[in-house]
PDB file of all heavy atoms in Angstrom:
ATOM      1  N   LYS A1200      60.909  40.647  78.488  1.00 75.00           N
ATOM      2  CA  LYS A1200      61.418  41.998  78.731  1.00 75.00           C
ATOM      3  C   LYS A1200      61.195  42.877  77.514  1.00 75.00           C
ATOM      4  O   LYS A1200      61.348  42.440  76.384  1.00 75.00           O
ATOM      5  CB  LYS A1200      62.915  41.969  79.015  1.00 75.00           C
ATOM      6  CG  LYS A1200      63.293  41.573  80.393  1.00 75.00           C
ATOM      7  CD  LYS A1200      64.775  41.777  80.574  1.00 75.00           C
ATOM      8  CE  LYS A1200      65.192  41.481  81.983  1.00 75.00           C
ATOM      9  NZ  LYS A1200      66.602  41.707  82.175  1.00 75.00           N
ATOM     10  N   SER A1201      60.880  44.131  77.801  1.00 93.00           N
ATOM     11  CA  SER A1201      60.797  45.093  76.709  1.00 93.00           C
ATOM     12  C   SER A1201      62.209  45.442  76.243  1.00 93.00           C
ATOM     13  O   SER A1201      63.192  45.169  76.940  1.00 93.00           O
ATOM     14  CB  SER A1201      60.085  46.357  77.182  1.00 93.00           C
ATOM     15  OG  SER A1201      60.917  47.077  78.072  1.00 93.00           O
ATOM     16  N   ALA A1202      62.301  46.039  75.080  1.00 93.00           N
ATOM     17  CA  ALA A1202      63.612  46.447  74.555  1.00 93.00           C
ATOM     18  C   ALA A1202      64.271  47.441  75.498  1.00 93.00           C
ATOM     19  O   ALA A1202      65.484  47.386  75.726  1.00 93.00           O
ATOM     20  CB  ALA A1202      63.454  47.031  73.151  1.00 93.00           C
ATOM     21  N   LEU A1203      63.484  48.359  76.063  1.00 94.00           N
ATOM     22  CA  LEU A1203      64.041  49.345  76.986  1.00 94.00           C
ATOM     23  C   LEU A1203      64.577  48.674  78.247  1.00 94.00           C
ATOM     24  O   LEU A1203      65.679  48.972  78.704  1.00 94.00           O
ATOM     25  CB  LEU A1203      62.989  50.396  77.350  1.00 94.00           C
ATOM     26  CG  LEU A1203      63.429  51.452  78.360  1.00 94.00           C
ATOM     27  CD1 LEU A1203      64.644  52.228  77.844  1.00 94.00           C
ATOM     28  CD2 LEU A1203      62.282  52.396  78.672  1.00 94.00           C
ATOM     29  N   ALA A1204      63.808  47.745  78.802  1.00 93.00           N
ATOM     30  CA  ALA A1204      64.251  47.044  80.015  1.00 93.00           C
ATOM     31  C   ALA A1204      65.520  46.240  79.732  1.00 93.00           C
ATOM     32  O   ALA A1204      66.441  46.211  80.554  1.00 93.00           O
ATOM     33  CB  ALA A1204      63.145  46.140  80.541  1.00 93.00           C
ATOM     34  N   ALA A1205      65.588  45.611  78.576  1.00 93.00           N
ATOM     35  CA  ALA A1205      66.781  44.836  78.209  1.00 93.00           C
ATOM     36  C   ALA A1205      67.987  45.747  78.055  1.00 93.00           C
ATOM     37  O   ALA A1205      69.095  45.423  78.493  1.00 93.00           O
ATOM     38  CB  ALA A1205      66.525  44.053  76.929  1.00 93.00           C
ATOM     39  N   SER A1206      67.779  46.908  77.446  1.00 94.00           N
ATOM     40  CA  SER A1206      68.865  47.879  77.274  1.00 94.00           C
ATOM     41  C   SER A1206      69.346  48.396  78.624  1.00 94.00           C
ATOM     42  O   SER A1206      70.547  48.517  78.863  1.00 94.00           O
ATOM     43  CB  SER A1206      68.393  49.038  76.398  1.00 94.00           C
ATOM     44  OG  SER A1206      69.391  50.013  76.276  1.00 94.00           O
ATOM     45  N   GLU A1207      68.418  48.706  79.515  1.00 94.00           N
ATOM     46  CA  GLU A1207      68.782  49.168  80.855  1.00 94.00           C
ATOM     47  C   GLU A1207      69.572  48.102  81.604  1.00 94.00           C
ATOM     48  O   GLU A1207      70.545  48.412  82.289  1.00 94.00           O
ATOM     49  CB  GLU A1207      67.530  49.554  81.645  1.00 94.00           C
ATOM     50  CG  GLU A1207      66.886  50.824  81.158  1.00 94.00           C
ATOM     51  CD  GLU A1207      65.560  51.119  81.846  1.00 94.00           C
ATOM     52  OE1 GLU A1207      64.986  50.216  82.499  1.00 94.00           O
ATOM     53  OE2 GLU A1207      65.084  52.253  81.711  1.00 94.00           O
ATOM     54  N   GLN A1208      69.190  46.851  81.469  1.00 94.00           N
ATOM     55  CA  GLN A1208      69.899  45.764  82.139  1.00 94.00           C
ATOM     56  C   GLN A1208      71.310  45.619  81.581  1.00 94.00           C
ATOM     57  O   GLN A1208      72.262  45.420  82.330  1.00 94.00           O
ATOM     58  CB  GLN A1208      69.141  44.441  82.001  1.00 94.00           C
ATOM     59  CG  GLN A1208      69.775  43.317  82.787  1.00 94.00           C
ATOM     60  CD  GLN A1208      69.796  43.587  84.286  1.00 94.00           C
ATOM     61  OE1 GLN A1208      68.770  43.914  84.875  1.00 94.00           O
ATOM     62  NE2 GLN A1208      70.965  43.469  84.905  1.00 94.00           N
ATOM     63  N   ARG A1209      71.470  45.747  80.264  1.00 96.00           N
ATOM     64  CA  ARG A1209      72.807  45.670  79.670  1.00 96.00           C
ATOM     65  C   ARG A1209      73.696  46.792  80.195  1.00 96.00           C
ATOM     66  O   ARG A1209      74.854  46.580  80.531  1.00 96.00           O
ATOM     67  CB  ARG A1209      72.732  45.733  78.137  1.00 96.00           C
ATOM     68  CG  ARG A1209      72.367  44.420  77.488  1.00 96.00           C
ATOM     69  CD  ARG A1209      72.561  44.441  75.982  1.00 96.00           C
ATOM     70  NE  ARG A1209      71.848  45.503  75.296  1.00 96.00           N
ATOM     71  CZ  ARG A1209      70.571  45.445  74.903  1.00 96.00           C
ATOM     72  NH1 ARG A1209      69.874  44.351  75.121  1.00 96.00           N
ATOM     73  NH2 ARG A1209      70.020  46.455  74.287  1.00 96.00           N
ATOM     74  N   PHE A1210      73.149  48.012  80.270  1.00 95.00           N
ATOM     75  CA  PHE A1210      73.912  49.146  80.794  1.00 95.00           C
ATOM     76  C   PHE A1210      74.291  48.908  82.257  1.00 95.00           C
ATOM     77  O   PHE A1210      75.433  49.115  82.657  1.00 95.00           O
ATOM     78  CB  PHE A1210      73.123  50.446  80.669  1.00 95.00           C
ATOM     79  CG  PHE A1210      73.808  51.599  81.322  1.00 95.00           C
ATOM     80  CD1 PHE A1210      74.856  52.250  80.698  1.00 95.00           C
ATOM     81  CD2 PHE A1210      73.426  52.025  82.590  1.00 95.00           C
ATOM     82  CE1 PHE A1210      75.514  53.303  81.319  1.00 95.00           C
ATOM     83  CE2 PHE A1210      74.073  53.083  83.216  1.00 95.00           C
ATOM     84  CZ  PHE A1210      75.119  53.717  82.571  1.00 95.00           C
ATOM     85  N   ARG A1211      73.337  48.442  83.062  1.00 94.00           N
ATOM     86  CA  ARG A1211      73.592  48.185  84.477  1.00 94.00           C
ATOM     87  C   ARG A1211      74.678  47.115  84.629  1.00 94.00           C
ATOM     88  O   ARG A1211      75.598  47.256  85.430  1.00 94.00           O
ATOM     89  CB  ARG A1211      72.293  47.751  85.166  1.00 94.00           C
ATOM     90  CG  ARG A1211      72.335  47.735  86.649  1.00 94.00           C
ATOM     91  CD  ARG A1211      70.979  47.511  87.331  1.00 94.00           C
ATOM     92  NE  ARG A1211      69.853  47.119  86.536  1.00 94.00           N
ATOM     93  CZ  ARG A1211      68.962  47.953  86.002  1.00 94.00           C
ATOM     94  NH1 ARG A1211      69.081  49.247  86.181  1.00 94.00           N
ATOM     95  NH2 ARG A1211      67.951  47.501  85.290  1.00 94.00           N
ATOM     96  N   ASP A1212      74.588  46.048  83.836  1.00 96.00           N
ATOM     97  CA  ASP A1212      75.608  44.992  83.889  1.00 96.00           C
ATOM     98  C   ASP A1212      76.975  45.521  83.469  1.00 96.00           C
ATOM     99  O   ASP A1212      77.989  45.202  84.096  1.00 96.00           O
ATOM    100  CB  ASP A1212      75.216  43.812  82.997  1.00 96.00           C
ATOM    101  CG  ASP A1212      74.052  43.013  83.550  1.00 96.00           C
ATOM    102  OD1 ASP A1212      73.703  43.177  84.743  1.00 96.00           O
ATOM    103  OD2 ASP A1212      73.475  42.221  82.777  1.00 96.00           O
ATOM    104  N   LEU A1213      77.019  46.311  82.403  1.00 96.00           N
ATOM    105  CA  LEU A1213      78.277  46.883  81.935  1.00 96.00           C
ATOM    106  C   LEU A1213      78.916  47.727  83.034  1.00 96.00           C
ATOM    107  O   LEU A1213      80.100  47.610  83.327  1.00 96.00           O
ATOM    108  CB  LEU A1213      78.056  47.718  80.679  1.00 96.00           C
ATOM    109  CG  LEU A1213      79.268  48.443  80.117  1.00 96.00           C
ATOM    110  CD1 LEU A1213      80.319  47.437  79.656  1.00 96.00           C
ATOM    111  CD2 LEU A1213      78.856  49.339  78.956  1.00 96.00           C
ATOM    112  N   TYR A1214      78.126  48.584  83.658  1.00 96.00           N
ATOM    113  CA  TYR A1214      78.622  49.446  84.736  1.00 96.00           C
ATOM    114  C   TYR A1214      79.078  48.608  85.928  1.00 96.00           C
ATOM    115  O   TYR A1214      80.208  48.750  86.414  1.00 96.00           O
ATOM    116  CB  TYR A1214      77.517  50.421  85.158  1.00 96.00           C
ATOM    117  CG  TYR A1214      77.951  51.418  86.204  1.00 96.00           C
ATOM    118  CD1 TYR A1214      78.461  52.650  85.832  1.00 96.00           C
ATOM    119  CD2 TYR A1214      77.831  51.143  87.558  1.00 96.00           C
ATOM    120  CE1 TYR A1214      78.860  53.579  86.793  1.00 96.00           C
ATOM    121  CE2 TYR A1214      78.227  52.060  88.516  1.00 96.00           C
ATOM    122  CZ  TYR A1214      78.742  53.271  88.132  1.00 96.00           C
ATOM    123  OH  TYR A1214      79.131  54.183  89.080  1.00 96.00           O
ATOM    124  N   ASN A1215      78.213  47.719  86.407  1.00 96.00           N
ATOM    125  CA  ASN A1215      78.515  46.955  87.617  1.00 96.00           C
ATOM    126  C   ASN A1215      79.681  45.992  87.431  1.00 96.00           C
ATOM    127  O   ASN A1215      80.445  45.771  88.364  1.00 96.00           O
ATOM    128  CB  ASN A1215      77.282  46.182  88.084  1.00 96.00           C
ATOM    129  CG  ASN A1215      76.221  47.090  88.664  1.00 96.00           C
ATOM    130  OD1 ASN A1215      76.489  48.216  89.056  1.00 96.00           O
ATOM    131  ND2 ASN A1215      74.999  46.610  88.695  1.00 96.00           N
ATOM    132  N   LEU A1216      79.817  45.422  86.257  1.00 96.00           N
ATOM    133  CA  LEU A1216      80.822  44.383  86.035  1.00 96.00           C
ATOM    134  C   LEU A1216      82.126  44.900  85.457  1.00 96.00           C
ATOM    135  O   LEU A1216      83.078  44.125  85.288  1.00 96.00           O
ATOM    136  CB  LEU A1216      80.235  43.286  85.139  1.00 96.00           C
ATOM    137  CG  LEU A1216      78.997  42.590  85.710  1.00 96.00           C
ATOM    138  CD1 LEU A1216      78.420  41.623  84.695  1.00 96.00           C
ATOM    139  CD2 LEU A1216      79.292  41.895  87.025  1.00 96.00           C
ATOM    140  N   THR A1217      82.219  46.185  85.157  1.00 95.00           N
ATOM    141  CA  THR A1217      83.468  46.750  84.656  1.00 95.00           C
ATOM    142  C   THR A1217      84.551  46.588  85.717  1.00 95.00           C
ATOM    143  O   THR A1217      84.340  46.928  86.880  1.00 95.00           O
ATOM    144  CB  THR A1217      83.291  48.242  84.323  1.00 95.00           C
ATOM    145  OG1 THR A1217      82.379  48.352  83.227  1.00 95.00           O
ATOM    146  CG2 THR A1217      84.594  48.904  83.953  1.00 95.00           C
ATOM    147  N   PRO A1218      85.719  46.069  85.347  1.00 96.00           N
ATOM    148  CA  PRO A1218      86.780  45.843  86.341  1.00 96.00           C
ATOM    149  C   PRO A1218      87.515  47.140  86.683  1.00 96.00           C
ATOM    150  O   PRO A1218      88.697  47.307  86.436  1.00 96.00           O
ATOM    151  CB  PRO A1218      87.696  44.826  85.649  1.00 96.00           C
ATOM    152  CG  PRO A1218      87.512  45.099  84.200  1.00 96.00           C
ATOM    153  CD  PRO A1218      86.082  45.543  84.038  1.00 96.00           C
ATOM    154  N   ALA A1219      86.760  48.072  87.251  1.00 97.00           N
ATOM    155  CA  ALA A1219      87.301  49.370  87.677  1.00 97.00           C
ATOM    156  C   ALA A1219      86.452  49.860  88.838  1.00 97.00           C
ATOM    157  O   ALA A1219      85.288  49.488  88.974  1.00 97.00           O
ATOM    158  CB  ALA A1219      87.257  50.374  86.532  1.00 97.00           C
ATOM    159  N   MET A1220      87.041  50.701  89.656  1.00 97.00           N
ATOM    160  CA  MET A1220      86.319  51.250  90.806  1.00 97.00           C
ATOM    161  C   MET A1220      85.485  52.448  90.365  1.00 97.00           C
ATOM    162  O   MET A1220      85.921  53.588  90.421  1.00 97.00           O
ATOM    163  CB  MET A1220      87.298  51.631  91.909  1.00 97.00           C
ATOM    164  CG  MET A1220      87.963  50.443  92.549  1.00 97.00           C
ATOM    165  SD  MET A1220      89.084  50.904  93.873  1.00 97.00           S
ATOM    166  CE  MET A1220      87.964  51.634  95.067  1.00 97.00           C
ATOM    167  N   LEU A1221      84.257  52.169  89.926  1.00 97.00           N
ATOM    168  CA  LEU A1221      83.353  53.223  89.468  1.00 97.00           C
ATOM    169  C   LEU A1221      82.405  53.609  90.585  1.00 97.00           C
ATOM    170  O   LEU A1221      81.859  52.754  91.279  1.00 97.00           O
ATOM    171  CB  LEU A1221      82.541  52.734  88.266  1.00 97.00           C
ATOM    172  CG  LEU A1221      83.318  52.234  87.064  1.00 97.00           C
ATOM    173  CD1 LEU A1221      82.358  51.740  85.991  1.00 97.00           C
ATOM    174  CD2 LEU A1221      84.241  53.304  86.527  1.00 97.00           C
ATOM    175  N   LEU A1222      82.207  54.914  90.748  1.00 96.00           N
ATOM    176  CA  LEU A1222      81.265  55.446  91.719  1.00 96.00           C
ATOM    177  C   LEU A1222      80.580  56.632  91.071  1.00 96.00           C
ATOM    178  O   LEU A1222      81.253  57.516  90.535  1.00 96.00           O
ATOM    179  CB  LEU A1222      81.990  55.875  92.998  1.00 96.00           C
ATOM    180  CG  LEU A1222      81.101  56.459  94.083  1.00 96.00           C
ATOM    181  CD1 LEU A1222      81.520  55.912  95.441  1.00 96.00           C
ATOM    182  CD2 LEU A1222      81.170  57.965  94.096  1.00 96.00           C
ATOM    183  N   SER A1223      79.268  56.636  91.080  1.00 96.00           N
ATOM    184  CA  SER A1223      78.500  57.742  90.505  1.00 96.00           C
ATOM    185  C   SER A1223      77.684  58.394  91.613  1.00 96.00           C
ATOM    186  O   SER A1223      77.198  57.721  92.524  1.00 96.00           O
ATOM    187  CB  SER A1223      77.541  57.224  89.425  1.00 96.00           C
ATOM    188  OG  SER A1223      78.247  56.598  88.390  1.00 96.00           O
ATOM    189  N   PHE A1224      77.545  59.709  91.515  1.00 94.00           N
ATOM    190  CA  PHE A1224      76.786  60.424  92.532  1.00 94.00           C
ATOM    191  C   PHE A1224      75.946  61.501  91.882  1.00 94.00           C
ATOM    192  O   PHE A1224      76.219  61.954  90.783  1.00 94.00           O
ATOM    193  CB  PHE A1224      77.697  61.025  93.608  1.00 94.00           C
ATOM    194  CG  PHE A1224      78.821  61.859  93.058  1.00 94.00           C
ATOM    195  CD1 PHE A1224      78.654  63.219  92.852  1.00 94.00           C
ATOM    196  CD2 PHE A1224      80.046  61.292  92.742  1.00 94.00           C
ATOM    197  CE1 PHE A1224      79.687  63.995  92.345  1.00 94.00           C
ATOM    198  CE2 PHE A1224      81.086  62.045  92.237  1.00 94.00           C
ATOM    199  CZ  PHE A1224      80.901  63.403  92.035  1.00 94.00           C
ATOM    200  N   GLY A1225      74.900  61.908  92.589  1.00 94.00           N
ATOM    201  CA  GLY A1225      73.998  62.943  92.101  1.00 94.00           C
ATOM    202  C   GLY A1225      74.454  64.329  92.509  1.00 94.00           C
ATOM    203  O   GLY A1225      75.483  64.498  93.173  1.00 94.00           O
ATOM    204  N   ARG A1226      73.662  65.313  92.142  1.00 91.00           N
ATOM    205  CA  ARG A1226      73.999  66.708  92.453  1.00 91.00           C
ATOM    206  C   ARG A1226      74.044  66.974  93.954  1.00 91.00           C
ATOM    207  O   ARG A1226      74.649  67.935  94.396  1.00 91.00           O
ATOM    208  CB  ARG A1226      73.009  67.656  91.782  1.00 91.00           C
ATOM    209  CG  ARG A1226      73.171  67.622  90.263  1.00 91.00           C
ATOM    210  CD  ARG A1226      72.588  68.813  89.560  1.00 91.00           C
ATOM    211  NE  ARG A1226      72.881  70.112  90.100  1.00 91.00           N
ATOM    212  CZ  ARG A1226      74.001  70.814  89.873  1.00 91.00           C
ATOM    213  NH1 ARG A1226      74.958  70.304  89.144  1.00 91.00           N
ATOM    214  NH2 ARG A1226      74.140  72.009  90.380  1.00 91.00           N
ATOM    215  N   ASP A1227      73.416  66.127  94.729  1.00 92.00           N
ATOM    216  CA  ASP A1227      73.431  66.279  96.188  1.00 92.00           C
ATOM    217  C   ASP A1227      74.590  65.521  96.829  1.00 92.00           C
ATOM    218  O   ASP A1227      74.653  65.387  98.041  1.00 92.00           O
ATOM    219  CB  ASP A1227      72.103  65.813  96.783  1.00 92.00           C
ATOM    220  CG  ASP A1227      71.824  64.337  96.528  1.00 92.00           C
ATOM    221  OD1 ASP A1227      72.602  63.672  95.801  1.00 92.00           O
ATOM    222  OD2 ASP A1227      70.802  63.848  97.049  1.00 92.00           O
ATOM    223  N   TRP A1228      75.505  65.019  96.004  1.00 93.00           N
ATOM    224  CA  TRP A1228      76.708  64.302  96.437  1.00 93.00           C
ATOM    225  C   TRP A1228      76.404  62.948  97.067  1.00 93.00           C
ATOM    226  O   TRP A1228      77.216  62.386  97.769  1.00 93.00           O
ATOM    227  CB  TRP A1228      77.565  65.156  97.384  1.00 93.00           C
ATOM    228  CG  TRP A1228      77.854  66.507  96.833  1.00 93.00           C
ATOM    229  CD1 TRP A1228      77.359  67.693  97.268  1.00 93.00           C
ATOM    230  CD2 TRP A1228      78.679  66.825  95.710  1.00 93.00           C
ATOM    231  NE1 TRP A1228      77.823  68.727  96.498  1.00 93.00           N
ATOM    232  CE2 TRP A1228      78.640  68.219  95.521  1.00 93.00           C
ATOM    233  CE3 TRP A1228      79.447  66.068  94.834  1.00 93.00           C
ATOM    234  CZ2 TRP A1228      79.336  68.871  94.521  1.00 93.00           C
ATOM    235  CZ3 TRP A1228      80.148  66.720  93.821  1.00 93.00           C
ATOM    236  CH2 TRP A1228      80.077  68.103  93.687  1.00 93.00           C
ATOM    237  N   ARG A1229      75.224  62.415  96.799  1.00 97.00           N
ATOM    238  CA  ARG A1229      74.853  61.101  97.320  1.00 97.00           C
ATOM    239  C   ARG A1229      75.082  60.049  96.244  1.00 97.00           C
ATOM    240  O   ARG A1229      74.816  60.272  95.067  1.00 97.00           O
ATOM    241  CB  ARG A1229      73.412  61.089  97.798  1.00 97.00           C
ATOM    242  CG  ARG A1229      73.218  62.110  98.913  1.00 97.00           C
ATOM    243  CD  ARG A1229      72.149  61.719  99.899  1.00 97.00           C
ATOM    244  NE  ARG A1229      72.180  62.651 101.019  1.00 97.00           N
ATOM    245  CZ  ARG A1229      72.888  62.456 102.135  1.00 97.00           C
ATOM    246  NH1 ARG A1229      73.588  61.361 102.292  1.00 97.00           N
ATOM    247  NH2 ARG A1229      72.885  63.342 103.104  1.00 97.00           N
ATOM    248  N   VAL A1230      75.589  58.906  96.667  1.00 98.00           N
ATOM    249  CA  VAL A1230      75.943  57.829  95.743  1.00 98.00           C
ATOM    250  C   VAL A1230      74.687  57.255  95.093  1.00 98.00           C
ATOM    251  O   VAL A1230      73.715  56.919  95.781  1.00 98.00           O
ATOM    252  CB  VAL A1230      76.713  56.711  96.482  1.00 98.00           C
ATOM    253  CG1 VAL A1230      77.025  55.550  95.547  1.00 98.00           C
ATOM    254  CG2 VAL A1230      77.991  57.266  97.107  1.00 98.00           C
ATOM    255  N   ILE A1231      74.735  57.158  93.765  1.00 97.00           N
ATOM    256  CA  ILE A1231      73.628  56.562  93.022  1.00 97.00           C
ATOM    257  C   ILE A1231      74.039  55.261  92.327  1.00 97.00           C
ATOM    258  O   ILE A1231      73.187  54.520  91.853  1.00 97.00           O
ATOM    259  CB  ILE A1231      73.024  57.547  92.001  1.00 97.00           C
ATOM    260  CG1 ILE A1231      74.066  58.026  91.005  1.00 97.00           C
ATOM    261  CG2 ILE A1231      72.364  58.724  92.722  1.00 97.00           C
ATOM    262  CD1 ILE A1231      73.515  58.902  89.882  1.00 97.00           C
ATOM    263  N   GLY A1232      75.339  54.983  92.284  1.00 97.00           N
ATOM    264  CA  GLY A1232      75.796  53.743  91.679  1.00 97.00           C
ATOM    265  C   GLY A1232      77.249  53.462  91.989  1.00 97.00           C
ATOM    266  O   GLY A1232      78.041  54.390  92.122  1.00 97.00           O
ATOM    267  N   VAL A1233      77.573  52.185  92.131  1.00 97.00           N
ATOM    268  CA  VAL A1233      78.954  51.744  92.319  1.00 97.00           C
ATOM    269  C   VAL A1233      79.137  50.431  91.577  1.00 97.00           C
ATOM    270  O   VAL A1233      78.218  49.631  91.463  1.00 97.00           O
ATOM    271  CB  VAL A1233      79.329  51.548  93.807  1.00 97.00           C
ATOM    272  CG1 VAL A1233      79.382  52.859  94.549  1.00 97.00           C
ATOM    273  CG2 VAL A1233      78.396  50.593  94.502  1.00 97.00           C
ATOM    274  N   SER A1234      80.348  50.215  91.094  1.00 98.00           N
ATOM    275  CA  SER A1234      80.648  48.961  90.408  1.00 98.00           C
ATOM    276  C   SER A1234      80.947  47.865  91.421  1.00 98.00           C
ATOM    277  O   SER A1234      81.277  48.133  92.590  1.00 98.00           O
ATOM    278  CB  SER A1234      81.845  49.145  89.477  1.00 98.00           C
ATOM    279  OG  SER A1234      83.012  49.434  90.217  1.00 98.00           O
ATOM    280  N   ASP A1235      80.834  46.626  90.960  1.00 98.00           N
ATOM    281  CA  ASP A1235      81.165  45.492  91.827  1.00 98.00           C
ATOM    282  C   ASP A1235      82.617  45.568  92.287  1.00 98.00           C
ATOM    283  O   ASP A1235      82.926  45.199  93.421  1.00 98.00           O
ATOM    284  CB  ASP A1235      80.928  44.179  91.081  1.00 98.00           C
ATOM    285  CG  ASP A1235      79.451  43.910  90.795  1.00 98.00           C
ATOM    286  OD1 ASP A1235      78.581  44.643  91.325  1.00 98.00           O
ATOM    287  OD2 ASP A1235      79.174  42.968  90.037  1.00 98.00           O
ATOM    288  N   ASP A1236      83.508  46.047  91.415  1.00 98.00           N
ATOM    289  CA  ASP A1236      84.919  46.171  91.773  1.00 98.00           C
ATOM    290  C   ASP A1236      85.092  47.160  92.925  1.00 98.00           C
ATOM    291  O   ASP A1236      85.844  46.902  93.868  1.00 98.00           O
ATOM    292  CB  ASP A1236      85.734  46.608  90.548  1.00 98.00           C
ATOM    293  CG  ASP A1236      87.220  46.389  90.723  1.00 98.00           C
ATOM    294  OD1 ASP A1236      87.623  45.262  91.062  1.00 98.00           O
ATOM    295  OD2 ASP A1236      87.978  47.356  90.521  1.00 98.00           O
ATOM    296  N   TRP A1237      84.404  48.287  92.885  1.00 98.00           N
ATOM    297  CA  TRP A1237      84.454  49.274  93.968  1.00 98.00           C
ATOM    298  C   TRP A1237      84.010  48.616  95.273  1.00 98.00           C
ATOM    299  O   TRP A1237      84.661  48.766  96.318  1.00 98.00           O
ATOM    300  CB  TRP A1237      83.576  50.479  93.636  1.00 98.00           C
ATOM    301  CG  TRP A1237      83.742  51.638  94.568  1.00 98.00           C
ATOM    302  CD1 TRP A1237      84.526  52.729  94.386  1.00 98.00           C
ATOM    303  CD2 TRP A1237      83.101  51.825  95.843  1.00 98.00           C
ATOM    304  NE1 TRP A1237      84.426  53.578  95.465  1.00 98.00           N
ATOM    305  CE2 TRP A1237      83.554  53.043  96.372  1.00 98.00           C
ATOM    306  CE3 TRP A1237      82.195  51.083  96.587  1.00 98.00           C
ATOM    307  CZ2 TRP A1237      83.135  53.539  97.602  1.00 98.00           C
ATOM    308  CZ3 TRP A1237      81.779  51.561  97.820  1.00 98.00           C
ATOM    309  CH2 TRP A1237      82.245  52.778  98.315  1.00 98.00           C
ATOM    310  N   LEU A1238      82.909  47.885  95.218  1.00 98.00           N
ATOM    311  CA  LEU A1238      82.396  47.223  96.418  1.00 98.00           C
ATOM    312  C   LEU A1238      83.389  46.218  96.971  1.00 98.00           C
ATOM    313  O   LEU A1238      83.616  46.160  98.186  1.00 98.00           O
ATOM    314  CB  LEU A1238      81.067  46.526  96.098  1.00 98.00           C
ATOM    315  CG  LEU A1238      79.903  47.453  95.746  1.00 98.00           C
ATOM    316  CD1 LEU A1238      78.735  46.647  95.203  1.00 98.00           C
ATOM    317  CD2 LEU A1238      79.482  48.299  96.935  1.00 98.00           C
ATOM    318  N   SER A1239      83.998  45.451  96.093  1.00 98.00           N
ATOM    319  CA  SER A1239      84.963  44.442  96.518  1.00 98.00           C
ATOM    320  C   SER A1239      86.177  45.072  97.188  1.00 98.00           C
ATOM    321  O   SER A1239      86.601  44.647  98.271  1.00 98.00           O
ATOM    322  CB  SER A1239      85.398  43.612  95.310  1.00 98.00           C
ATOM    323  OG  SER A1239      86.383  42.685  95.674  1.00 98.00           O
ATOM    324  N   VAL A1240      86.732  46.092  96.580  1.00 97.00           N
ATOM    325  CA  VAL A1240      87.923  46.748  97.130  1.00 97.00           C
ATOM    326  C   VAL A1240      87.600  47.457  98.447  1.00 97.00           C
ATOM    327  O   VAL A1240      88.368  47.391  99.411  1.00 97.00           O
ATOM    328  CB  VAL A1240      88.523  47.746  96.104  1.00 97.00           C
ATOM    329  CG1 VAL A1240      89.578  48.628  96.739  1.00 97.00           C
ATOM    330  CG2 VAL A1240      89.094  46.996  94.898  1.00 97.00           C
ATOM    331  N   MET A1241      86.453  48.113  98.490  1.00 96.00           N
ATOM    332  CA  MET A1241      86.101  48.908  99.669  1.00 96.00           C
ATOM    333  C   MET A1241      85.458  48.082 100.788  1.00 96.00           C
ATOM    334  O   MET A1241      85.365  48.537 101.925  1.00 96.00           O
ATOM    335  CB  MET A1241      85.169  50.053  99.265  1.00 96.00           C
ATOM    336  CG  MET A1241      85.806  51.049  98.300  1.00 96.00           C
ATOM    337  SD  MET A1241      87.207  51.933  99.012  1.00 96.00           S
ATOM    338  CE  MET A1241      86.357  53.038 100.139  1.00 96.00           C
ATOM    339  N   GLY A1242      84.981  46.884 100.468  1.00 97.00           N
ATOM    340  CA  GLY A1242      84.423  46.008 101.492  1.00 97.00           C
ATOM    341  C   GLY A1242      82.995  46.315 101.898  1.00 97.00           C
ATOM    342  O   GLY A1242      82.610  46.054 103.044  1.00 97.00           O
TER     343      GLY A1242
END
């Protein structure tokens, strides 16, 4: 892996594995990311 790819993976893991209901969306109000905790709670 390149340094950039490794950094992106660390960020993705940090976001996805944070024990909080995180949801990110774009300017068009469409979901671009959710944490594993959000998925678990919401089903």
Side-chain angles (χ1 to χ4, degrees):
K1200 281 188 176 181
S1201 71
L1203 177 59
S1206 177
E1207 289 174 345
Q1208 185 62 51
R1209 280 191 304 275
F1210 174 79
R1211 192 171 10 267
D1212 289 345
L1213 177 64
Y1214 184 92
N1215 288 340
L1216 300 175
T1217 294
M1220 292 181 64
L1221 304 178
L1222 180 138
S1223 300
F1224 52 90
R1226 292 199 46 82
D1227 62 355
W1228 309 110
R1229 300 210 172 268
V1230 177
I1231 58 174
V1233 291
S1234 65
D1235 292 350
D1236 196 53
W1237 190 97
L1238 294 169
S1239 177
V1240 169
M1241 297 296 287

